[in-house]
């Protein structure tokens, strides 16, 4: 690819996403670029690998971290064929990507049978109204892992 041009990278991921459908994956793809260098690519593998977290963006992030030998992707851009879902936005934030650029938006995804609006709406709803309970159950030693972390002099901060 050799360019930092957004349109070129987006064209590339749209081609990857389209090709992925023929190979048993979903219609999503992503690449991570540093400068004008392609660091990694990922295609949706949810149904192929029976892994609900194998979204194209997550696959690309995992690969880029492995290639670069770092959990931080600061200095990199994620190009993705579609607006990232909440899982992928969160992964992008944790990876410290500089930018995320996408081609199709959430309305396009909904027209294609992938409506993430339920997740966006869920996060705006009080947890007490969620269909899947997410609730605390405090334990007396519940903070122990964090105490161990804070006591570790050689911890790698992230």
């Amino acid at each position: 690819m050799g360019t930092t041009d957004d349109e070129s990278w987006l064209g590339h991921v749209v081609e990857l996403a389209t090709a992925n459908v023929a190979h048993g994956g979903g219609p999503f793809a992503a690449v991570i670029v540093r400068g004008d260098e392609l660091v990694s690519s990922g295609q949706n593998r949810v149904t192929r690998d029976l892994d609900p977290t194998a979204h194209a963006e997550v696959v690309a992030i995992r690969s880029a971290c492995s290639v670069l030998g770092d959990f931080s992707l600061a200095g990199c851009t994620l190009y993705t064929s579609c607006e990232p879902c909440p899982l992928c936005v969160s992964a992008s934030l944790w990876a410290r990507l500089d930018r995320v650029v996408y081609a199709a938006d959430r309305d396009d995804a909904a027209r294609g049978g992938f409506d993430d609006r339920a997740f966006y709406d869920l996060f705006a709803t009080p947890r007490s109204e969620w269909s899947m309970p997410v609730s605390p159950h405090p334990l007396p030693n519940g903070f122990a892992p964090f105490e161990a972390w804070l006591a570790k002099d050689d911890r790698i901060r992230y």
Side-chain angles (χ1 to χ4, degrees), residues 74-148:
C76 296
T77 298
L78 170 69
Y79 290 95
T80 182
S81 60
C82 190
E83 181 177 1
C85 73
L87 168 72
C88 297
V89 169
S90 297
S92 298
L93 290 166
W94 277 111
R96 292 168 179 76
L97 288 157
D98 284 5
R99 299 191 310 144
V100 175
V101 183
Y102 58 89
D105 65 17
R106 66 180 76 176
D107 295 320
D108 295 321
R111 282 185 319 151
F114 295 87
D115 196 347
D116 296 336
R117 274 181 277 247
F119 295 115
Y120 288 102
D121 293 345
L122 177 68
F123 295 132
T125 304
R127 280 191 182 179
S128 61
E129 297 176 25
W130 288 16
S131 61
M132 179 188 73
V134 176
S135 56
H137 187 96
L139 295 175
N141 65 341
F143 192 73
F146 297 105
E147 288 173 336

Side-chain angles (χ1 to χ4, degrees), residues 19-31:
N20 194 48
V21 174
H23 296 103
F28 304 98
V31 296

